[in-house]
Amino acid sequence: MQKSFIKYGLLLLVFIAIGCAKRGTITGGLKDTIAPKMVGSFPKNFSTNFTGKEIKINFDEYIKLKNINKQLIISPPLKRQPEILPYNASKFITIRIKDTLLPNTTYSFNFGKSIEDNNEGNPYQQFKYVFSTGSYIDSLNLSTKVKDAIENKVDNYVSLMLYDANDKYNDSVIYKQLPRYVTNTLDSLQIVKFENLKEGKYRLIAIKDANGNNKFDPKTEKIGFKKEFITIPNDTVYQLELFKEELPFKVVNLSQASGSKFTIGYEGNPKDVKIEIKKNSENIPFVVTQLPEKDSLQIWHKAVKEDSIRIDIRKNNYLKTYSIKVKDQKKDTLGFSSEQVGSTNFRDAFAIKSTVPLTKWDASKMKLINKDSAEVKFTNEYDEFKQELKFVFNKEPLEKYSLKVLPGGLTDYFDRKNDSLSFDFSTSDISDYGNLRINLENVKRFPIIVELTNKDGKVLASLYSEKETLLNFDLIDPAKYTVRIIYDDNKDKRWTPGNFLEQRQSEEVIYLPKEIDIRANWDWEEKFDLKTK
């Protein structure tokens, strides 16, 4: 009996233990938040008289390499990239050098945030392995900052470069040769340091190095530079402004797009381009317009099929000549549209666009009426380059308008006329908009361009001033605006970027430090002090 009691008692304890086990969970302990650490290397970090081809670095736990191609900065840069292992988790990093190292030079391998522990991904921040092929480690530093010359934000992964300013230096080296030293902003650094530098005189350059070859490609990359050489040691924090150079005008291609039109793809600025079309010695009439949202021109011509023509395209000292036989292709049809049908802004003139350039417009065959059928007086302005006919008139709030164009009111380049056209649009109430007055202080010079942009940098409104310091942006949409001022030094009414070979910086841009929140039915005045620190 006593044995049975003991037996059943033991079974009860087992069931209780199982029940308790079911109610609990295994937590696994605290989460690992500690980054891996280097515990040794061969050769040792900061070694001198380095002659090897392989480096091994040992860590206290298993690590993995993440984004090593973007994060690793080798300075001075190597012509042949080293092999960096492991490809999988390991306690070792192996660097196999495939290039010939310079004599008496300090090299640094900055791994950025690329080294992480294998389990939790804790990064070993800015780990550097440094060695010298000479008898000592160079130890001088230089601090730099980067900003964009026109945008209110700066790109990530901008390379900062130093070139030796010796008797062999010329400005073409940034296109052809590797810099002496390089560092990078990576994805978050605001102030970037060159470290382990040698005393000397240098050219300081910043490049948004898209292809990662440590050379400047003006077709695709931004650049910033200090015009004067700098000397090291130096405790100045230099700021470089990045800009995309405006390429020299160049024709990329020319093709026949229809029976009445050629298209020209180009690089650079097409302003002041001169075009001539000839059939033997006879000049062929033509009109040039912009292909919307493309770096292409449209040449509308009156040559006929089978004509052999020559097209000369010239700007300054640039000349490109094409000999073409006109193909038998369908001609462009005449059509009209407007982006403002439905609702139009008070600040914008109502406009209609044609698919073919216009040569004539007869206002007597056009009628603009309001919702009461009262006729509204207007004038026309034609932008041939954009193929856009504007209707300028005094808009009234909460009004509905109807524009009628009778047949023959519009004539295109090929003497074709429109059929009946009708466009209906309306305006909102004035109270739906806001008004902004900018009060400028300490303007250094004129003319200036004052622009309102959104958070993405798109220009939403612009004013040009040759002397005024009080500027009114009336009837603008409720939104948050960024305000910037451009010193238009060449007076071409647009921001002009710099040019490295000309040693010319971009036109100066100053941003109001804060956003302005314009609300419906608000009048707001904002002081903008242009005095820079």
Side-chain angles (χ1 to χ4, degrees), residues 261-311:
K261 180 178 66 183
F262 295 102
T263 58
I264 299 174
Y266 64 83
E267 293 176 353
N269 187 352
K271 185 181 178 183
D272 300 325
V273 167
K274 294 178 174 58
I275 297 175
E276 188 177 63
I277 303 179
K278 284 195 170 186
K279 176 185 175 183
N280 298 323
S281 60
E282 175 191 357
N283 287 321
I284 302 294
F286 65 92
V287 168
V288 178
T289 66
Q290 178 74 49
L291 185 63
E293 300 180 0
K294 300 285 185 181
D295 288 339
S296 298
L297 300 175
Q298 301 177 115
I299 302 179
W300 305 87
H301 62 86
K302 294 186 176 180
V304 298
K305 66 177 181 179
E306 303 302 323
D307 277 351
S308 294
I309 61 175
R310 191 185 77 189
I311 303 177

Short mmCIF file of all heavy atoms in Angstrom, two decimals, residues 261-311:
data_model
loop_
_atom_site.label_atom_id
_atom_site.label_comp_id
_atom_site.label_asym_id
_atom_site.label_seq_id
_atom_site.Cartn_x
_atom_site.Cartn_y
_atom_site.Cartn_z
N LYS A 261 9.41 65.55 -90.80
CA LYS A 261 10.15 65.92 -89.59
C LYS A 261 11.38 65.04 -89.39
O LYS A 261 11.34 63.83 -89.57
CB LYS A 261 9.21 65.78 -88.38
CG LYS A 261 9.82 66.12 -87.04
CD LYS A 261 8.78 65.98 -85.93
CE LYS A 261 8.33 64.55 -85.76
NZ LYS A 261 7.27 64.41 -84.73
N PHE A 262 12.48 65.69 -89.00
CA PHE A 262 13.67 65.02 -88.50
C PHE A 262 13.79 65.31 -87.00
O PHE A 262 13.33 66.34 -86.52
CB PHE A 262 14.94 65.52 -89.20
CG PHE A 262 15.00 65.22 -90.67
CD1 PHE A 262 14.71 66.20 -91.61
CD2 PHE A 262 15.35 63.95 -91.11
CE1 PHE A 262 14.77 65.93 -92.96
CE2 PHE A 262 15.41 63.66 -92.47
CZ PHE A 262 15.12 64.65 -93.40
N THR A 263 14.40 64.39 -86.27
CA THR A 263 14.71 64.65 -84.87
C THR A 263 16.22 64.61 -84.68
O THR A 263 16.92 63.79 -85.29
CB THR A 263 14.04 63.64 -83.93
OG1 THR A 263 14.46 62.32 -84.28
CG2 THR A 263 12.53 63.74 -84.01
N ILE A 264 16.69 65.52 -83.82
CA ILE A 264 18.12 65.60 -83.51
C ILE A 264 18.30 65.38 -82.02
O ILE A 264 17.83 66.17 -81.21
CB ILE A 264 18.69 67.00 -83.88
CG1 ILE A 264 18.53 67.27 -85.37
CG2 ILE A 264 20.16 67.09 -83.47
CD1 ILE A 264 18.95 68.68 -85.75
N GLY A 265 18.96 64.29 -81.65
CA GLY A 265 19.34 64.09 -80.26
C GLY A 265 20.64 64.84 -79.99
O GLY A 265 21.53 64.88 -80.84
N TYR A 266 20.74 65.47 -78.83
CA TYR A 266 21.91 66.30 -78.57
C TYR A 266 22.35 66.20 -77.11
O TYR A 266 21.61 65.75 -76.24
CB TYR A 266 21.61 67.77 -78.92
CG TYR A 266 20.53 68.40 -78.08
CD1 TYR A 266 20.80 68.94 -76.82
CD2 TYR A 266 19.21 68.45 -78.54
CE1 TYR A 266 19.80 69.51 -76.05
CE2 TYR A 266 18.20 69.01 -77.76
CZ TYR A 266 18.50 69.54 -76.53
OH TYR A 266 17.52 70.09 -75.75
N GLU A 267 23.56 66.65 -76.86
CA GLU A 267 24.07 66.90 -75.51
C GLU A 267 24.29 68.40 -75.38
O GLU A 267 24.48 69.10 -76.36
CB GLU A 267 25.41 66.17 -75.30
CG GLU A 267 25.30 64.66 -75.28
CD GLU A 267 26.67 63.99 -75.15
OE1 GLU A 267 27.69 64.72 -75.21
OE2 GLU A 267 26.71 62.75 -75.01
N GLY A 268 24.28 68.89 -74.13
CA GLY A 268 24.55 70.30 -73.91
C GLY A 268 23.33 71.18 -74.08
O GLY A 268 22.19 70.73 -74.01
N ASN A 269 23.59 72.46 -74.33
CA ASN A 269 22.54 73.48 -74.44
C ASN A 269 22.31 73.84 -75.90
O ASN A 269 23.24 74.31 -76.57
CB ASN A 269 22.96 74.72 -73.63
CG ASN A 269 21.86 75.76 -73.55
OD1 ASN A 269 20.81 75.65 -74.20
ND2 ASN A 269 22.08 76.78 -72.75
N PRO A 270 21.08 73.67 -76.43
CA PRO A 270 20.84 73.95 -77.85
C PRO A 270 20.64 75.44 -78.17
O PRO A 270 20.42 75.79 -79.33
CB PRO A 270 19.55 73.17 -78.13
CG PRO A 270 18.82 73.20 -76.83
CD PRO A 270 19.88 73.12 -75.76
N LYS A 271 20.72 76.29 -77.14
CA LYS A 271 20.52 77.72 -77.39
C LYS A 271 21.57 78.23 -78.38
O LYS A 271 22.75 77.88 -78.31
CB LYS A 271 20.64 78.50 -76.07
CG LYS A 271 20.33 79.99 -76.22
CD LYS A 271 20.49 80.71 -74.90
CE LYS A 271 20.22 82.20 -75.07
NZ LYS A 271 20.43 82.94 -73.81
N ASP A 272 21.11 79.05 -79.32
CA ASP A 272 21.97 79.67 -80.35
C ASP A 272 22.52 78.68 -81.37
O ASP A 272 23.47 79.00 -82.10
CB ASP A 272 23.12 80.45 -79.71
CG ASP A 272 22.64 81.56 -78.80
OD1 ASP A 272 21.59 82.17 -79.11
OD2 ASP A 272 23.30 81.83 -77.77
N VAL A 273 21.96 77.48 -81.43
CA VAL A 273 22.36 76.55 -82.48
C VAL A 273 21.83 77.05 -83.83
O VAL A 273 20.68 77.48 -83.93
CB VAL A 273 21.82 75.13 -82.19
CG1 VAL A 273 21.95 74.23 -83.41
CG2 VAL A 273 22.57 74.52 -81.02
N LYS A 274 22.66 77.00 -84.84
CA LYS A 274 22.28 77.42 -86.19
C LYS A 274 22.17 76.19 -87.08
O LYS A 274 23.07 75.37 -87.12
CB LYS A 274 23.30 78.42 -86.75
CG LYS A 274 23.33 79.75 -85.99
CD LYS A 274 24.39 80.66 -86.55
CE LYS A 274 24.32 82.05 -85.90
NZ LYS A 274 24.47 82.00 -84.45
N ILE A 275 21.04 76.10 -87.80
CA ILE A 275 20.79 74.95 -88.68
C ILE A 275 20.52 75.47 -90.09
O ILE A 275 19.86 76.49 -90.27
CB ILE A 275 19.58 74.14 -88.17
CG1 ILE A 275 19.90 73.55 -86.78
CG2 ILE A 275 19.24 73.01 -89.14
CD1 ILE A 275 18.73 72.83 -86.14
N GLU A 276 21.05 74.75 -91.05
CA GLU A 276 20.83 75.09 -92.46
C GLU A 276 20.52 73.82 -93.24
O GLU A 276 21.20 72.80 -93.07
CB GLU A 276 22.08 75.76 -93.03
CG GLU A 276 21.89 76.34 -94.43
CD GLU A 276 23.14 77.05 -94.94
OE1 GLU A 276 24.18 76.37 -95.09
OE2 GLU A 276 23.09 78.28 -95.14
N ILE A 277 19.46 73.86 -94.05
CA ILE A 277 19.08 72.72 -94.88
C ILE A 277 19.13 73.15 -96.35
O ILE A 277 18.51 74.17 -96.71
CB ILE A 277 17.68 72.20 -94.54
CG1 ILE A 277 17.59 71.82 -93.05
CG2 ILE A 277 17.33 70.99 -95.39
CD1 ILE A 277 16.24 71.32 -92.63
N LYS A 278 19.84 72.38 -97.16
CA LYS A 278 19.97 72.73 -98.57
C LYS A 278 19.73 71.52 -99.46
O LYS A 278 20.10 70.40 -99.13
CB LYS A 278 21.36 73.30 -98.86
CG LYS A 278 21.55 74.74 -98.37
CD LYS A 278 22.78 75.37 -98.99
CE LYS A 278 22.83 76.85 -98.69
NZ LYS A 278 23.95 77.52 -99.40
N LYS A 279 19.10 71.81 -100.61
CA LYS A 279 18.99 70.85 -101.71
C LYS A 279 19.80 71.44 -102.84
O LYS A 279 19.41 72.42 -103.45
CB LYS A 279 17.53 70.65 -102.11
CG LYS A 279 17.34 69.75 -103.30
CD LYS A 279 15.88 69.69 -103.73
CE LYS A 279 15.71 68.90 -105.00
NZ LYS A 279 14.29 68.90 -105.45
N ASN A 280 20.98 70.85 -103.08
CA ASN A 280 21.98 71.46 -103.94
C ASN A 280 22.32 72.83 -103.37
O ASN A 280 22.74 72.94 -102.25
CB ASN A 280 21.49 71.51 -105.38
CG ASN A 280 21.23 70.12 -105.94
OD1 ASN A 280 21.97 69.17 -105.64
ND2 ASN A 280 20.17 69.96 -106.73
N SER A 281 22.08 73.90 -104.12
CA SER A 281 22.36 75.25 -103.60
C SER A 281 21.10 75.95 -103.11
O SER A 281 21.15 77.09 -102.65
CB SER A 281 23.01 76.10 -104.70
OG SER A 281 22.15 76.21 -105.83
N GLU A 282 19.97 75.25 -103.19
CA GLU A 282 18.68 75.84 -102.80
C GLU A 282 18.43 75.63 -101.30
O GLU A 282 18.56 74.52 -100.79
CB GLU A 282 17.56 75.19 -103.61
CG GLU A 282 16.17 75.64 -103.20
CD GLU A 282 15.08 74.79 -103.84
OE1 GLU A 282 15.41 73.90 -104.65
OE2 GLU A 282 13.90 75.03 -103.52
N ASN A 283 18.06 76.71 -100.59
CA ASN A 283 17.71 76.62 -99.18
C ASN A 283 16.32 76.03 -99.02
O ASN A 283 15.38 76.45 -99.69
CB ASN A 283 17.75 78.00 -98.52
CG ASN A 283 19.17 78.49 -98.31
OD1 ASN A 283 20.06 77.73 -97.96
ND2 ASN A 283 19.40 79.78 -98.54
N ILE A 284 16.20 75.05 -98.14
CA ILE A 284 14.91 74.42 -97.84
C ILE A 284 14.35 75.05 -96.57
O ILE A 284 15.03 75.06 -95.54
CB ILE A 284 15.06 72.90 -97.65
CG1 ILE A 284 15.67 72.26 -98.90
CG2 ILE A 284 13.73 72.25 -97.30
CD1 ILE A 284 14.80 72.33 -100.12
N PRO A 285 13.11 75.59 -96.57
CA PRO A 285 12.53 76.18 -95.36
C PRO A 285 12.34 75.12 -94.27
O PRO A 285 12.07 73.95 -94.56
CB PRO A 285 11.17 76.72 -95.85
CG PRO A 285 11.27 76.78 -97.34
CD PRO A 285 12.21 75.70 -97.74
N PHE A 286 12.45 75.56 -93.01
CA PHE A 286 12.26 74.64 -91.89
C PHE A 286 11.94 75.45 -90.64
O PHE A 286 12.14 76.66 -90.57
CB PHE A 286 13.51 73.78 -91.67
CG PHE A 286 14.72 74.56 -91.24
CD1 PHE A 286 15.01 74.73 -89.89
CD2 PHE A 286 15.57 75.13 -92.19
CE1 PHE A 286 16.11 75.45 -89.49
CE2 PHE A 286 16.68 75.85 -91.79
CZ PHE A 286 16.95 76.02 -90.44
N VAL A 287 11.43 74.73 -89.62
CA VAL A 287 11.17 75.30 -88.30
C VAL A 287 11.73 74.33 -87.27
O VAL A 287 11.60 73.11 -87.41
CB VAL A 287 9.65 75.52 -88.07
CG1 VAL A 287 9.37 75.82 -86.60
CG2 VAL A 287 9.14 76.65 -88.95
N VAL A 288 12.35 74.87 -86.20
CA VAL A 288 12.93 74.04 -85.15
C VAL A 288 12.10 74.19 -83.87
O VAL A 288 11.81 75.31 -83.44
CB VAL A 288 14.39 74.43 -84.86
CG1 VAL A 288 14.96 73.59 -83.72
CG2 VAL A 288 15.24 74.27 -86.11
N THR A 289 11.71 73.06 -83.28
CA THR A 289 11.00 73.07 -82.00
C THR A 289 11.63 72.02 -81.06
O THR A 289 12.45 71.20 -81.49
CB THR A 289 9.51 72.76 -82.17
OG1 THR A 289 9.34 71.42 -82.64
CG2 THR A 289 8.85 73.73 -83.16
N GLN A 290 11.20 72.08 -79.80
CA GLN A 290 11.71 71.13 -78.81
C GLN A 290 10.83 69.90 -78.75
O GLN A 290 9.60 70.01 -78.72
CB GLN A 290 11.73 71.79 -77.43
CG GLN A 290 12.19 70.89 -76.30
CD GLN A 290 13.69 70.63 -76.31
OE1 GLN A 290 14.49 71.55 -76.41
NE2 GLN A 290 14.08 69.36 -76.21
N LEU A 291 11.43 68.71 -78.75
CA LEU A 291 10.68 67.49 -78.49
C LEU A 291 10.40 67.44 -76.99
O LEU A 291 11.33 67.45 -76.19
CB LEU A 291 11.47 66.26 -78.92
CG LEU A 291 10.77 64.91 -78.82
CD1 LEU A 291 9.55 64.86 -79.74
CD2 LEU A 291 11.73 63.77 -79.15
N PRO A 292 9.12 67.44 -76.57
CA PRO A 292 8.80 67.57 -75.14
C PRO A 292 9.50 66.54 -74.27
O PRO A 292 9.53 65.36 -74.60
CB PRO A 292 7.27 67.37 -75.12
CG PRO A 292 6.82 67.77 -76.49
CD PRO A 292 7.92 67.35 -77.42
N GLU A 293 10.09 67.05 -73.18
CA GLU A 293 10.72 66.22 -72.14
C GLU A 293 11.85 65.35 -72.67
O GLU A 293 12.17 64.31 -72.09
CB GLU A 293 9.67 65.36 -71.44
CG GLU A 293 8.58 66.18 -70.75
CD GLU A 293 7.55 65.32 -70.06
OE1 GLU A 293 7.70 64.08 -70.10
OE2 GLU A 293 6.62 65.87 -69.47
N LYS A 294 12.48 65.75 -73.77
CA LYS A 294 13.61 65.00 -74.32
C LYS A 294 14.72 65.97 -74.69
O LYS A 294 14.47 67.13 -74.99
CB LYS A 294 13.19 64.23 -75.59
CG LYS A 294 12.08 63.20 -75.40
CD LYS A 294 12.58 61.96 -74.69
CE LYS A 294 11.51 60.90 -74.63
NZ LYS A 294 11.95 59.67 -73.93
N ASP A 295 15.97 65.49 -74.65
CA ASP A 295 17.08 66.28 -75.15
C ASP A 295 17.16 66.08 -76.66
O ASP A 295 18.13 65.52 -77.19
CB ASP A 295 18.38 65.86 -74.48
CG ASP A 295 18.45 66.32 -73.03
OD1 ASP A 295 17.72 67.27 -72.68
OD2 ASP A 295 19.21 65.73 -72.25
N SER A 296 16.11 66.53 -77.34
CA SER A 296 16.01 66.37 -78.79
C SER A 296 15.30 67.56 -79.40
O SER A 296 14.40 68.15 -78.79
CB SER A 296 15.25 65.09 -79.16
OG SER A 296 15.90 63.94 -78.70
N LEU A 297 15.74 67.94 -80.61
CA LEU A 297 15.08 68.97 -81.39
C LEU A 297 14.29 68.32 -82.51
O LEU A 297 14.62 67.23 -82.98
CB LEU A 297 16.12 69.93 -81.99
CG LEU A 297 17.01 70.68 -81.01
CD1 LEU A 297 18.06 71.49 -81.78
CD2 LEU A 297 16.19 71.60 -80.12
N GLN A 298 13.24 69.01 -82.94
CA GLN A 298 12.45 68.58 -84.08
C GLN A 298 12.66 69.59 -85.21
O GLN A 298 12.51 70.79 -85.01
CB GLN A 298 10.96 68.51 -83.72
CG GLN A 298 10.67 67.56 -82.58
CD GLN A 298 9.20 67.58 -82.19
OE1 GLN A 298 8.49 66.59 -82.34
NE2 GLN A 298 8.73 68.69 -81.66
N ILE A 299 13.03 69.08 -86.38
CA ILE A 299 13.18 69.95 -87.56
C ILE A 299 12.03 69.66 -88.50
O ILE A 299 11.94 68.59 -89.11
CB ILE A 299 14.52 69.70 -88.28
CG1 ILE A 299 15.70 69.92 -87.34
CG2 ILE A 299 14.66 70.63 -89.48
CD1 ILE A 299 17.04 69.68 -87.98
N TRP A 300 11.12 70.64 -88.63
CA TRP A 300 9.98 70.54 -89.55
C TRP A 300 10.40 71.15 -90.88
O TRP A 300 10.83 72.29 -90.93
CB TRP A 300 8.78 71.26 -88.97
CG TRP A 300 8.41 70.79 -87.59
CD1 TRP A 300 8.90 71.24 -86.41
CD2 TRP A 300 7.46 69.77 -87.28
NE1 TRP A 300 8.32 70.56 -85.36
CE2 TRP A 300 7.43 69.65 -85.87
CE3 TRP A 300 6.62 68.96 -88.05
CZ2 TRP A 300 6.61 68.76 -85.20
CZ3 TRP A 300 5.81 68.05 -87.39
CH2 TRP A 300 5.80 67.96 -85.98
N HIS A 301 10.28 70.37 -91.95
CA HIS A 301 10.82 70.82 -93.24
C HIS A 301 9.79 70.63 -94.35
O HIS A 301 8.77 69.95 -94.17
CB HIS A 301 12.08 70.02 -93.57
CG HIS A 301 11.83 68.54 -93.71
ND1 HIS A 301 11.42 67.96 -94.90
CD2 HIS A 301 11.92 67.54 -92.81
CE1 HIS A 301 11.26 66.66 -94.72
NE2 HIS A 301 11.57 66.37 -93.45
N LYS A 302 10.07 71.22 -95.50
CA LYS A 302 9.18 71.11 -96.66
C LYS A 302 9.84 70.41 -97.84
O LYS A 302 9.43 70.58 -98.99
CB LYS A 302 8.69 72.51 -97.07
CG LYS A 302 7.81 73.15 -95.99
CD LYS A 302 7.21 74.46 -96.46
CE LYS A 302 6.26 75.02 -95.41
NZ LYS A 302 5.64 76.31 -95.81
N ALA A 303 10.85 69.63 -97.52
CA ALA A 303 11.42 68.79 -98.58
C ALA A 303 10.44 67.69 -98.94
O ALA A 303 9.54 67.35 -98.15
CB ALA A 303 12.74 68.18 -98.12
N VAL A 304 10.56 67.12 -100.12
CA VAL A 304 9.66 66.07 -100.56
C VAL A 304 10.45 64.77 -100.71
O VAL A 304 11.68 64.75 -100.70
CB VAL A 304 8.98 66.43 -101.90
CG1 VAL A 304 8.12 67.68 -101.73
CG2 VAL A 304 10.02 66.66 -103.00
N LYS A 305 9.70 63.67 -100.83
CA LYS A 305 10.35 62.36 -100.91
C LYS A 305 11.32 62.30 -102.09
O LYS A 305 11.11 62.93 -103.12
CB LYS A 305 9.31 61.26 -100.99
CG LYS A 305 8.49 61.27 -102.27
CD LYS A 305 7.52 60.10 -102.30
CE LYS A 305 6.71 60.10 -103.60
NZ LYS A 305 5.79 58.96 -103.67
N GLU A 306 12.36 61.57 -101.86
CA GLU A 306 13.44 61.34 -102.82
C GLU A 306 14.39 62.53 -102.94
O GLU A 306 15.40 62.46 -103.64
CB GLU A 306 12.90 60.97 -104.22
CG GLU A 306 12.02 59.75 -104.25
CD GLU A 306 12.71 58.52 -103.72
OE1 GLU A 306 13.91 58.34 -103.96
OE2 GLU A 306 12.04 57.73 -103.01
N ASP A 307 14.09 63.66 -102.27
CA ASP A 307 15.03 64.78 -102.26
C ASP A 307 16.30 64.39 -101.52
O ASP A 307 16.23 63.79 -100.45
CB ASP A 307 14.43 66.01 -101.58
CG ASP A 307 13.54 66.82 -102.52
OD1 ASP A 307 13.54 66.51 -103.73
OD2 ASP A 307 12.86 67.75 -102.04
N SER A 308 17.44 64.72 -102.08
CA SER A 308 18.72 64.55 -101.38
C SER A 308 19.09 65.91 -100.79
O SER A 308 19.28 66.89 -101.52
CB SER A 308 19.80 64.07 -102.35
OG SER A 308 19.52 62.78 -102.82
N ILE A 309 19.17 65.97 -99.47
CA ILE A 309 19.41 67.25 -98.81
C ILE A 309 20.63 67.14 -97.89
O ILE A 309 21.05 66.05 -97.50
CB ILE A 309 18.19 67.70 -98.00
CG1 ILE A 309 17.85 66.67 -96.90
CG2 ILE A 309 16.99 67.93 -98.90
CD1 ILE A 309 16.74 67.10 -95.98
N ARG A 310 21.17 68.32 -97.58
CA ARG A 310 22.28 68.40 -96.63
C ARG A 310 21.84 69.25 -95.44
O ARG A 310 21.27 70.33 -95.63
CB ARG A 310 23.50 69.04 -97.29
CG ARG A 310 24.77 68.91 -96.44
CD ARG A 310 25.92 69.66 -97.06
NE ARG A 310 25.79 71.10 -96.83
CZ ARG A 310 26.58 72.02 -97.40
NH1 ARG A 310 27.52 71.63 -98.24
NH2 ARG A 310 26.41 73.30 -97.14
N ILE A 311 22.11 68.74 -94.25
CA ILE A 311 21.75 69.47 -93.03
C ILE A 311 23.03 69.82 -92.28
O ILE A 311 23.79 68.93 -91.89
CB ILE A 311 20.82 68.64 -92.13
CG1 ILE A 311 19.56 68.24 -92.90
CG2 ILE A 311 20.45 69.41 -90.87
CD1 ILE A 311 18.62 67.34 -92.12
#
